[in-house]
Amino acid sequence: MRSEAEVPVTVKTRIGIDDEDSYEFLKGFVDIQREAGCHKFIVHARVAILEGLSPKENRSVPPLRYERVFQLKQDLPELEIVLNGGIKTVEQVDEVLKNVDGVMIGRQAYHDPYFLAHLEQYFNPGWSLPDRHRVVLQMIPYIEGELARGERLGRITRHMLGLFTGQPGARTWRRYISENAFKDGAGPEVLIDALDKMPVAA
Ligand SMILES: Cc1cc2nc3c(=O)[nH]c(=O)nc-3n(C[C@H](O)[C@H](O)[C@H](O)COP(=O)(O)O)c2cc1C
């Protein structure tokens, strides 16, 4: 892959699979990729249980073992090691980054995308936090460009459904967009109409 690809080849992996759950197994796996020239690993800090757990259960039932990922970075400091799994707060990101090179955030960014704005503010204090209404308005030029290319509104706004999580009107926002963004010909006016229904301070 390395010799064929023009982009870096990276590996996303868990820390083990079924009974193959030792640190030595993980390290051995990473060593093989490393020798083949891969230098960046994103590690979901859980084993995968193929027998008996659904994909969804596999994202919460096997315990998180961050220390395995930290150990990997300690043993192979020349590699870029990114930790993934269960990260929900800015403080957690800050703590984890003492031990690894990066953090990958999945569900939290999906459920509460504004979390990413808080992260940006934390790591870039000079940046001023835009309110959620502004975030929506700033999305509109991007959305217009994508719609012009044939994209459907709902495929973009599905990633914005959680934007008001924890704020007044969160359910109204989610429901209005869910009900309207996949209609034929739906455009940015759906977002404007949804914003009109929201309390001003959110
Ligand atoms: C709906 C959904 C789909 C996912 N699809 C993939 C996928 O195709 N490939 C992959 O490597 N991980 C996939 N994941 C796993 C995430 O990349 C991530 O490893 C996992 O959610 C743990 O991180 P989190 O706790 O921050 O969400 C998926 C997760 C969810 C919730």
Coordinates of all heavy atoms in Angstrom, one line a residue, residues 12-14 42-46 55-56 58-60 64 66 83-88 103-111, ligand 1:
K12 N -6.1 2.1 11.7 CA -7.0 2.3 12.9 C -7.2 0.9 13.4 O -7.6 0.0 12.7 CB -8.3 2.9 12.5 CG -9.3 2.9 13.6 CD -10.0 4.2 13.7 CE -11.1 4.2 14.8 NZ -12.2 3.4 14.5
T13 N -7.0 0.7 14.7 CA -7.1 -0.6 15.2 C -7.6 -0.6 16.7 O -7.6 0.5 17.3 CB -5.7 -1.3 15.2 OG1 -5.8 -2.7 15.8 CG2 -4.7 -0.6 16.1
R14 N -8.1 -1.7 17.1 CA -8.4 -1.9 18.5 C -7.1 -2.5 19.2 O -6.1 -2.8 18.6 CB -9.6 -2.8 18.7 CG -10.8 -2.1 18.2 CD -12.1 -2.7 18.8 NE -13.2 -2.0 18.3 CZ -14.4 -1.9 19.0 NH1 -14.5 -2.6 20.2 NH2 -15.4 -1.3 18.6
I42 N -4.1 4.9 14.9 CA -5.2 5.4 15.7 C -5.8 4.1 16.5 O -6.2 3.2 15.8 CB -6.3 6.0 14.8 CG1 -5.8 7.1 14.0 CG2 -7.5 6.4 15.7 CD1 -5.6 6.9 12.6
V43 N -5.7 4.2 17.8 CA -6.0 3.0 18.6 C -7.3 3.2 19.4 O -7.3 4.0 20.3 CB -4.8 2.6 19.5 CG1 -5.1 1.2 20.1 CG2 -3.5 2.6 18.7
H44 N -8.3 2.5 19.1 CA -9.5 2.4 19.9 C -9.2 1.5 21.1 O -9.0 0.3 20.9 CB -10.7 1.9 19.1 CG -12.0 1.9 19.8 ND1 -13.2 1.5 19.2 CD2 -12.3 2.3 21.0 CE1 -14.2 1.6 20.1 NE2 -13.7 2.1 21.2
A45 N -9.2 2.1 22.3 CA -8.6 1.4 23.4 C -9.5 0.3 24.0 O -9.7 0.2 25.3 CB -8.2 2.4 24.5
R46 N -10.1 -0.5 23.2 CA -10.9 -1.6 23.7 C -10.6 -2.8 22.8 O -10.2 -2.7 21.6 CB -12.4 -1.4 23.4 CG -13.1 -0.4 24.1 CD -14.6 -0.4 23.8 NE -15.3 0.3 24.8 CZ -15.6 1.6 24.7 NH1 -15.3 2.3 23.6 NH2 -16.2 2.2 25.7
P55 N -22.0 -5.0 17.0 CA -21.1 -3.8 16.8 C -21.4 -2.7 17.8 O -20.4 -2.1 18.3 CB -21.4 -3.4 15.3 CG -21.9 -4.7 14.7 CD -22.6 -5.4 15.7
K56 N -22.7 -2.5 18.0 CA -23.0 -1.4 19.0 C -22.5 -1.7 20.4 O -21.8 -0.9 21.0 CB -24.5 -1.2 19.0 CG -24.9 0.0 19.8 CD -26.3 0.5 19.5 CE -26.7 1.7 20.2 NZ -27.8 1.6 21.1
N58 N -20.1 -3.6 21.1 CA -18.6 -3.5 21.0 C -18.0 -2.1 21.2 O -16.9 -2.0 21.4 CB -18.1 -4.1 19.7 CG -17.6 -5.5 19.9 OD1 -16.7 -5.8 20.8 ND2 -18.1 -6.5 19.2
R59 N -18.9 -1.1 21.1 CA -18.5 0.2 21.3 C -18.6 0.7 22.8 O -18.2 1.8 23.1 CB -19.2 1.2 20.4 CG -18.8 1.0 18.9 CD -19.2 2.2 18.1 NE -20.6 2.2 17.7 CZ -21.1 1.6 16.6 NH1 -20.3 1.0 15.8 NH2 -22.4 1.7 16.4
S60 N -19.2 -0.2 23.6 CA -19.3 0.3 25.0 C -19.0 -0.9 26.0 O -18.6 -0.5 27.1 CB -20.7 0.8 25.3 OG -21.7 -0.2 25.0
L64 N -12.5 0.2 28.5 CA -11.4 1.0 27.9 C -10.1 0.8 28.7 O -10.1 0.8 29.9 CB -11.8 2.5 28.0 CG -12.9 3.0 27.1 CD1 -13.6 4.3 27.6 CD2 -12.4 3.2 25.7
Y66 N -6.8 2.7 28.4 CA -6.0 3.7 27.8 C -4.5 3.4 28.1 O -3.6 3.8 27.3 CB -6.3 5.1 28.4 CG -7.6 5.7 28.0 CD1 -8.1 6.8 28.7 CD2 -8.4 5.1 27.0 CE1 -9.4 7.3 28.4 CE2 -9.6 5.7 26.6 CZ -10.1 6.8 27.3 OH -11.3 7.3 27.0
L83 N -5.1 8.3 20.3 CA -6.0 7.4 21.2 C -7.4 7.7 20.8 O -7.8 8.9 20.6 CB -5.7 7.8 22.7 CG -6.6 7.0 23.7 CD1 -5.7 6.7 24.9 CD2 -7.8 7.8 24.1
N84 N -8.2 6.7 20.8 CA -9.7 6.8 20.5 C -10.5 6.0 21.5 O -10.0 4.9 22.0 CB -9.9 6.3 19.1 CG -11.4 6.1 18.7 OD1 -11.8 5.0 18.4 ND2 -12.2 7.2 18.8
G85 N -11.7 6.4 21.8 CA -12.6 5.6 22.6 C -13.0 6.3 23.9 O -12.2 6.6 24.8
G86 N -14.3 6.7 24.0 CA -14.8 7.2 25.2 C -14.5 8.6 25.6 O -14.7 9.0 26.8
I87 N -13.9 9.4 24.8 CA -13.5 10.7 25.1 C -14.7 11.7 25.0 O -15.3 11.8 23.9 CB -12.3 11.2 24.2 CG1 -11.1 10.3 24.3 CG2 -12.0 12.7 24.5 CD1 -10.3 10.4 25.6
K88 N -15.0 12.3 26.1 CA -16.2 13.1 26.2 C -16.0 14.6 26.7 O -16.9 15.4 26.6 CB -17.3 12.5 27.1 CG -17.8 11.2 26.5 CD -18.9 10.7 27.3 CE -19.6 9.5 26.7 NZ -20.2 8.6 27.6
V103 N -5.8 12.7 19.7 CA -7.1 12.0 20.2 C -8.0 12.0 19.0 O -8.2 13.0 18.3 CB -7.7 12.9 21.3 CG1 -9.0 12.3 21.7 CG2 -6.7 12.9 22.5
M104 N -8.7 10.9 18.8 CA -9.8 10.8 17.8 C -11.1 10.8 18.6 O -11.3 10.0 19.5 CB -9.7 9.6 16.9 CG -10.9 9.5 16.0 SD -10.9 7.9 15.1 CE -9.9 8.4 13.6
I105 N -12.0 11.6 18.2 CA -13.3 11.7 18.9 C -14.4 11.3 17.9 O -14.6 11.9 16.9 CB -13.6 13.1 19.4 CG1 -12.5 13.4 20.5 CG2 -15.0 13.3 20.0 CD1 -12.3 14.9 20.8
G106 N -15.2 10.3 18.3 CA -16.3 9.8 17.5 C -17.6 10.3 18.0 O -18.1 11.4 17.6
R107 N -18.2 9.5 18.9 CA -19.6 9.8 19.2 C -19.9 11.1 19.9 O -20.9 11.8 19.6 CB -20.1 8.7 20.1 CG -20.4 7.4 19.3 CD -20.5 6.2 20.2 NE -19.3 5.9 20.9 CZ -19.1 4.8 21.7 NH1 -20.1 4.0 21.9 NH2 -17.9 4.6 22.2
Q108 N -18.9 11.6 20.7 CA -19.1 12.9 21.3 C -19.2 14.0 20.3 O -20.1 14.9 20.4 CB -18.0 13.2 22.3 CG -18.1 14.5 23.1 CD -19.4 14.5 24.0 OE1 -20.1 13.5 24.2 NE2 -19.6 15.7 24.6
A109 N -18.5 13.9 19.3 CA -18.5 15.0 18.2 C -19.8 14.9 17.4 O -20.3 15.9 16.9 CB -17.3 14.8 17.2
Y110 N -20.4 13.7 17.4 CA -21.6 13.5 16.7 C -22.8 13.9 17.6 O -23.7 14.6 17.1 CB -21.7 12.0 16.4 CG -22.6 11.8 15.1 CD1 -22.0 11.9 13.9 CD2 -23.9 11.4 15.2 CE1 -22.7 11.7 12.7 CE2 -24.6 11.2 14.1 CZ -24.1 11.4 12.9 OH -24.8 11.2 11.7
H111 N -22.8 13.5 18.8 CA -23.9 13.9 19.7 C -24.0 15.3 20.1 O -25.0 15.9 20.3 CB -23.9 13.1 21.0 CG -24.1 11.6 20.8 ND1 -23.5 10.7 21.6 CD2 -24.7 10.9 19.8 CE1 -23.8 9.4 21.2 NE2 -24.5 9.6 20.1
Ligands
LIG1 C1 -22.3 4.9 13.8 C2 -20.8 4.5 13.9 C3 -20.2 4.0 12.8 C4 -18.8 3.7 12.9 N1 -18.1 3.2 11.8 C5 -16.8 3.0 11.8 C6 -16.1 2.6 10.7 O1 -16.6 2.4 9.6 N2 -14.7 2.3 10.8 C7 -14.1 2.5 12.0 O2 -12.9 2.3 12.1 N3 -14.8 2.9 13.1 C8 -16.1 3.1 13.1 N4 -16.8 3.5 14.2 C9 -16.0 3.5 15.5 C10 -15.5 4.9 15.7 O3 -14.5 5.3 14.7 C11 -14.8 4.9 17.1 O4 -13.7 4.0 17.0 C12 -15.7 4.5 18.2 O5 -17.0 5.1 18.1 C13 -15.0 4.9 19.6 O6 -14.8 6.2 19.7 P1 -15.8 7.2 20.5 O7 -16.0 6.6 21.9 O8 -15.1 8.5 20.5 O9 -17.1 7.2 19.7 C14 -18.1 3.8 14.1 C15 -18.8 4.4 15.2 C16 -20.2 4.7 15.2 C17 -20.9 5.3 16.4

